[in-house]
Amino acid sequence: MESINLSTQLESNEKEITTVDLYDEATQDYEFWSKDFNMHFGYYSFNSTSLLKRDTMLNEMNNQVLKRLHVLKGDKTMIDLGCGVGNSMRYALSRNSDLKATGVTLSKYQVDLGNQLLEPYNTSIELQNYNNTSFDSNSFDAALAIESFCHGGHSITSLREAHRILKPGGRLVIADAFLKKNHQQLCSGGRFAYNKLCNHWDLDQLENINNYKFNLEQVGFKNVKVEDVSFRVAPSVLHVPFAIAGFVIKELFNKRTFKKESLHNLKGSFYALLSGLHMKSFGYYLITATKG
């Protein structure tokens, strides 16, 4: 009876969902993906990760981003633009006690939970839009955006705001999925996966990586370095079907009804995996840029 109920729910609920709804209601589901509440994919390193231990790869993504930001040593200021419940901040603060970190998110649930988790570090997450923050210009040495700018359609507005609040010489690092071609050029299978992914994860669009590099330079960033790390990220993406299966079995065992937001999150994860199979159309990138 429960499996029939699940099937019915999975076939319904195609109505669009907002990013705030998704993360207010589905954040707790991510604890099944990551005991550390890493709300992103991972990075495989031969020396520091295990293919069978997902959190080692997820935390290695934090490490790779923060190394490129140059914030793991010294007295630096850092902002996480779309921080979730702040695990990248906690990871950085555990490595560098002199770091001053701030995070912003649109989700009140994430603010409340994240600030509870950050209590030992005397820092905070604020309820703000990363496209239009309250921070003064030239405030931060570093800014990161791990799989967050995609929810704003990789817009140039996000890049302008990041550029504004960074100090001269400050660094921005973005870790995210991008298109390798314009969406009109996608094959039918790629277009299907792309449209479903955007719908279920409330993504306005994924930008063409070449256009995005141009936009970074247009707003004033220098030394823009684009690294295709798709093959490093792929091992963590391959955990998706096992994580989904485990989560579904757990919920059914506990006889819990699936929330609308959880179903969107689950289906979005599946279509992320499907998109990743179209390697000629989709890629995962680490982008590093410096404010001129």
Side-chain angles (χ1 to χ4, degrees), residues 259-270:
K259 294 178 294 185
K260 172 182 66 176
E261 294 81 9
S262 296
L263 292 172
H264 275 285
N265 196 24
L266 288 172
K267 290 195 277 187
S269 299
F270 171 75

Side-chain angles (χ1 to χ4, degrees), residues 69-78 96 98-101 140-142 167:
L69 282 176
H70 298 170
V71 295
L72 294 178
K73 292 182 180 179
D75 183 9
K76 300 288 181 64
T77 54
M78 180 188 84
N96 180 8
D98 293 325
L99 179 68
K100 296 178 179 63
F140 297 96
D141 296 303
K167 297 176 183 178

Side-chain angles (χ1 to χ4, degrees), residues 3 6 44 47 75 97 103 118 165 183 189 203 227 233 235 258 267 269 275 284:
S3 61
L6 173 61
Y44 178 71
N47 299 323
D75 183 9
S97 59
L118 281 163
I165 62 178
H183 72 272
L203 311 179
E227 302 171 74
V233 173
F258 284 77
K267 290 195 277 187
S269 299
S275 298
Y284 197 104

